[in-house]
Amino acid sequence: CHELRRENIPILVFDFHNDFGHFADKIIDEDDIKIHPLAILKGEKPKYVSYKVSSILRHCFKELTTIQEGTIRKAIIRFYEDSGIEDLSKKNDGSYRLKPFKEFKHYFELVSDLKNTVESIKIKLDILFDYEVFSESDETSINFADLLKENTVFQLKSAPSDDVKKVVTELMVSKLIQHCYNLSQTKDNQIKLYCIIDEAHRMVYPGSPIDTLMRESRKYGIGVILASQRASDFNE
């Protein structure tokens, strides 16, 4: 981090223990950020977002089953439809507006008659609806273009659980990837940003946002550093 700053290369750090604050030009914590977990960035297709978010929740909350993941995905789709999105395969042109995230809590029973499944999902995800970061508004208060200009540290130590820390990090990484897709590919090997993820072993699995970031980010000038205790924490 020190050397990247000396080279004037912006860093974006997901900091689980609030260890990186002295490297930051801008520190973001739960008092500064609002995230709508179901937000659809410009250029994203709602249908694909429903798959990505339900997968993230399944892997962050290990107790969730494949069937429950499917129920969550159906609930997200119904939530989008009730937000006025008619074609879930149409990319967001910037006009999509979503209902407040707190209303999503009541959507599981709308798409499933399995009472035990619904109650289990609500118990496991209840912490998300109590977390102040997950906004009641229809938007995410993060300007991704600004993240490419300054040294930013997301301080996550005060999040209520490790599961929530993982959800925040994976959602933000997923949105960062989508923002990259809207950028032109770098042709001069210019490094625009280094994304640094603490405790990364918690979030590495095949098809994870971090897995995609590792595969996709280089051509957009974004480097990745994963911090963990052992090399064996990471998959192939």
Side-chain angles (χ1 to χ4, degrees), residues 1 9 23 25 29 39 42-43 55 61 68 77 92 100 111 116 118-120 126 140 143 150 154 158 188 198 206 217:
C1 290
I9 296 172
F23 293 116
D25 296 325
D29 58 25
K42 189 174 182 179
S55 176
F61 293 88
Q68 290 170 336
I77 289 172
N92 183 7
V111 298
N116 289 340
V118 170
E119 287 304 313
S120 180
D126 195 48
T140 295
N143 186 327
E150 55 192 359
F154 280 86
S158 58
D188 54 5
D198 194 16
S217 62

Side-chain angles (χ1 to χ4, degrees), residues 13-201:
V13 185
F14 294 93
D15 183 2
F16 274 46
H17 303 293
N18 293 6
D19 293 330
F20 292 82
H22 53 290
F23 293 116
D25 296 325
K26 182 177 183 180
I27 292 176
I28 298 177
D29 58 25
E30 60 188 22
D31 294 326
D32 305 312
I33 181 177
K34 296 298 179 186
I35 299 171
H36 194 310
L38 308 182
I40 307 165
L41 289 188
K42 189 174 182 179
E44 282 190 303
K45 295 181 179 180
K47 179 171 65 175
Y48 292 162
V49 176
S50 72
Y51 277 94
K52 286 190 286 189
V53 174
S54 59
S55 176
I56 286 172
L57 294 177
R58 160 85 191 284
H59 285 94
C60 289
F61 293 88
K62 298 295 186 183
E63 303 85 3
L64 288 172
T65 66
T66 303
I67 291 175
Q68 290 170 336
E69 179 185 353
T71 301
I72 293 170
R73 184 166 59 251
K74 290 178 183 177
I76 294 172
I77 289 172
R78 179 71 176 270
F79 183 84
Y80 287 158
E81 291 172 342
D82 286 357
S83 294
I85 300 174
E86 297 179 356
D87 186 353
L88 297 177
S89 297
K90 183 180 178 181
K91 292 181 179 180
N92 183 7
D93 60 3
S95 64
Y96 292 168
R97 293 291 180 268
L98 302 181
K99 296 159 68 76
F101 177 64
K102 65 178 181 180
E103 296 187 23
F104 180 61
K105 186 176 185 177
H106 308 294
Y107 271 75
F108 305 118
E109 51 260 63
L110 297 180
V111 298
S112 176
D113 295 326
L114 302 175
K115 186 174 180 179
N116 289 340
T117 295
V118 170
E119 287 304 313
S120 180
I121 291 173
K122 292 175 76 172
I123 289 171
K124 291 166 185 172
L125 298 187
D126 195 48
I127 194 170
L128 298 182
F129 299 99
D130 287 337
Y131 189 35
E132 296 87 347
V133 166
F134 295 130
S135 175
E136 296 183 3
S137 69
D138 62 351
E139 296 180 347
T140 295
S141 62
I142 290 290
N143 186 327
F144 286 88
D146 289 343
L147 296 181
L148 301 178
K149 299 175 183 176
E150 55 192 359
N151 300 305
T152 306
V153 175
F154 280 86
Q155 291 191 333
L156 297 165
K157 185 177 182 179
S158 58
S161 74
D162 285 343
D163 291 337
V164 172
K165 293 177 185 179
K166 290 187 288 184
V167 171
V168 172
T169 301
E170 293 203 27
L171 286 172
M172 293 305 300
V173 169
S174 179
K175 299 307 178 186
L176 176 64
I177 294 168
Q178 179 58 37
H179 179 74
C180 289
Y181 289 157
N182 294 330
L183 301 174
S184 58
Q185 295 187 20
T186 183
K187 297 179 181 179
D188 54 5
N189 294 322
Q190 179 185 2
I191 301 175
K192 298 176 181 175
L193 177 76
Y194 252 95
C195 182
I196 301 167
I197 301 173
D198 194 16
E199 300 289 341
H201 60 279

Side-chain angles (χ1 to χ4, degrees), residues 196-227:
I196 301 167
I197 301 173
D198 194 16
E199 300 289 341
H201 60 279
R202 303 170 186 261
M203 293 160 282
V204 175
Y205 53 88
S208 73
I210 292 176
D211 193 35
T212 305
L213 186 69
M214 294 287 285
R215 297 174 186 274
E216 297 284 339
S217 62
R218 182 176 57 186
K219 59 192 172 192
Y220 299 102
I222 295 179
V224 183
I225 296 174
L226 306 181

